[in-house]
Amino acid sequence: WTRRSLGLNLFGKHINTKSGQWTEYLSGIGSNSDSFYEYLIKHYLLFPDDSDFWLMFVIVYSGVWENNRLGDWYADIDMNHGLDGHVRQVFESLMAFYPGMQVLLGELTPSAKTLNSFFLVREFLGLLPERFNFVHWKTESGGDIHPLRPELLESCYFLHLATIGLQGSDCGPCSKTDSNHRTSTWLWAADFALQAVSKLAWTPCGFATVKKVGPTTTGMIDGDFVKINSDVQAEQKRLKIKHHDEMPSFFLSETIKYLYLTFDAEDNLLHTDSERDWIFTTEAHPIHHVPKVAIPDGPSSTASQTTDIND
């Protein structure tokens, strides 16, 4: 924290832990940085007595807003020179967590605008690539794979929960016919993602990282392709879909979980629990704040005067 750039309140991506010197001055919200921002705000939400984390987050968030933001996108910049130095105008799939984090702050308008921009890439390519140049509107060299990452769907999930019924209809893709549930436009985006992953990443023994996403391969999916009864293998062959022989563990622990929760907005315990506010770790593990209660003075008193209510 003390080694941030004091004028811009930015952080690099790598630091020498022995000397304290920055070894990479590139600053952004994507790879090698994303969890730092996320855990500042989530630590405060889980441990509100640690008010320093809120103050640090506000300063960091303001630094990103004032320096990294280019319209609805976020660029990697030099931590000491900002937009006056080296600027890398590349969207990384890991950046897609940021709109979901903004929902925790109530920043729904900038969150929705940024996530809409990210979804434009998904609409163009069918699946989100690892790296995409949003100025030249093409994937970066070596960044045209889709490893089933959760971040885009994570933010979609949070915006869906935050905007249910505001602009949606009564007939969303998972609305119950016997309920008053109202959908949101984000639910339709999640529905398309579910169909695309089910067809483009499917293999006989699981789901796999997709090679070479592009406008003429994965981007050529249409209404017929997402039909439930379509021949997946035949369509993959037609679109020349290729896979890496791997299914990342985060696909099961995060990607599928966020999709499931998006379509279970009415009944899931995490959404209906009136006693706890649940927070997800960066690996999508749900945890919640546990308030402390005072221990009355007496023979059994110890030096600690508080305890967790679950102890």
Side-chain angles (χ1 to χ4, degrees):
W1 173 255
T2 60
R3 289 172 172 82
R4 70 191 186 281
S5 58
L6 296 180
L8 302 176
N9 289 312
L10 297 175
F11 294 81
K13 290 179 178 285
H14 289 95
I15 194 170
N16 186 308
T17 57
K18 292 184 178 180
S19 67
Q21 299 298 311
W22 291 102
T23 58
E24 183 179 0
Y25 292 92
L26 201 63
S27 180
I29 63 171
S31 58
N32 302 307
S33 300
D34 48 342
S35 296
F36 171 73
Y37 303 104
E38 190 172 354
Y39 272 134
L40 278 179
I41 178 61
K42 290 184 176 180
H43 180 99
Y44 172 70
L45 293 175
L46 288 168
F47 307 102
D49 291 339
D50 294 341
S51 57
D52 285 351
F53 279 81
W54 171 249
L55 296 176
M56 287 190 290
F57 177 79
V58 170
I59 293 173
V60 167
Y61 183 77
S62 298
V64 170
W65 179 264
E66 294 169 0
N67 298 291
N68 296 83
R69 186 169 55 95
L70 291 175
D72 298 327
W73 301 88
Y74 290 86
D76 285 331
I77 58 178
D78 187 288
M79 64 174 289
N80 294 311
H81 301 96
L83 292 172
D84 294 329
H86 172 65
V87 178
R88 181 172 176 263
Q89 296 169 315
V90 173
F91 163 63
E92 297 178 345
S93 60
L94 290 173
M95 293 178 175
F97 89 96
Y98 205 72
M101 186 195 71
Q102 288 179 305
V103 172
L104 295 178
L105 305 174
E107 294 269 61
L108 297 187
T109 296
S111 171
K113 287 182 176 180
T114 293
L115 192 57
N116 266 321
S117 296
F118 295 169
F119 266 110
L120 287 176
V121 180
R122 199 284 306 273
E123 294 294 318
F124 178 54
L125 300 174
L127 295 169
L128 206 64
E130 280 288 81
R131 296 184 299 278
F132 186 84
N133 190 303
F134 56 83
V135 174
H136 299 292
W137 205 249
K138 64 178 183 180
T139 55
E140 287 280 282
S141 176
D144 56 355
I145 68 169
H146 175 75
L148 305 171
R149 289 198 185 278
E151 285 78 13
L152 186 75
L153 298 175
E154 173 187 356
S155 288
C156 184
Y157 159 67
F158 283 116
L159 269 166
H160 169 59
L161 288 185
T163 60
I164 286 178
L166 295 182
Q167 297 177 332
S169 70
D170 293 319
C171 302
C174 75
S175 295
K176 297 181 179 179
T177 56
D178 60 347
S179 76
N180 295 319
H181 172 68
R182 290 181 64 82
T183 184
S184 77
T185 53
W186 302 108
L187 194 62
W188 290 100
D191 182 66
F192 182 92
L194 176 63
Q195 300 299 329
V197 169
S198 297
K199 307 300 171 62
L200 296 173
W202 180 89
T203 72
C205 60
F207 294 83
T209 294
V210 178
K211 298 180 181 179
K212 298 290 183 183
V213 301
T216 60
T217 54
T218 54
M220 293 296 289
I221 59 177
D222 52 27
D224 291 333
F225 180 73
V226 297
K227 288 181 179 178
I228 295 177
N229 296 321
S230 64
D231 187 329
V232 175
Q233 289 179 305
E235 285 298 304
Q236 287 185 358
K237 183 177 181 180
R238 179 179 70 86
L239 296 175
K240 300 179 181 179
I241 304 299
K242 303 294 182 182
H243 300 105
H244 285 289
D245 187 15
E246 63 178 20
M247 182 174 72
S249 61
F250 54 69
F251 174 70
L252 296 177
S253 63
E254 299 181 67
T255 307
I256 294 299
K257 183 182 294 182
Y258 283 123
L259 273 173
Y260 178 86
L261 290 172
T262 302
F263 289 96
D264 194 31
E266 292 181 82
D267 302 321
N268 195 278
L269 174 64
L270 295 178
H271 306 148
T272 60
D273 190 347
S274 60
E275 298 180 358
R276 306 171 187 84
D277 291 323
W278 292 89
I279 295 293
F280 289 95
T281 68
T282 58
E283 307 303 323
H285 302 305
I287 54 180
H288 63 84
H289 168 61
V290 178
K292 293 184 177 182
V293 295
I295 298 177
D297 294 333
S300 61
S301 296
T302 63
S304 174
Q305 293 299 305
T306 61
T307 185
D308 290 342
I309 61 174
N310 287 350
D311 287 350

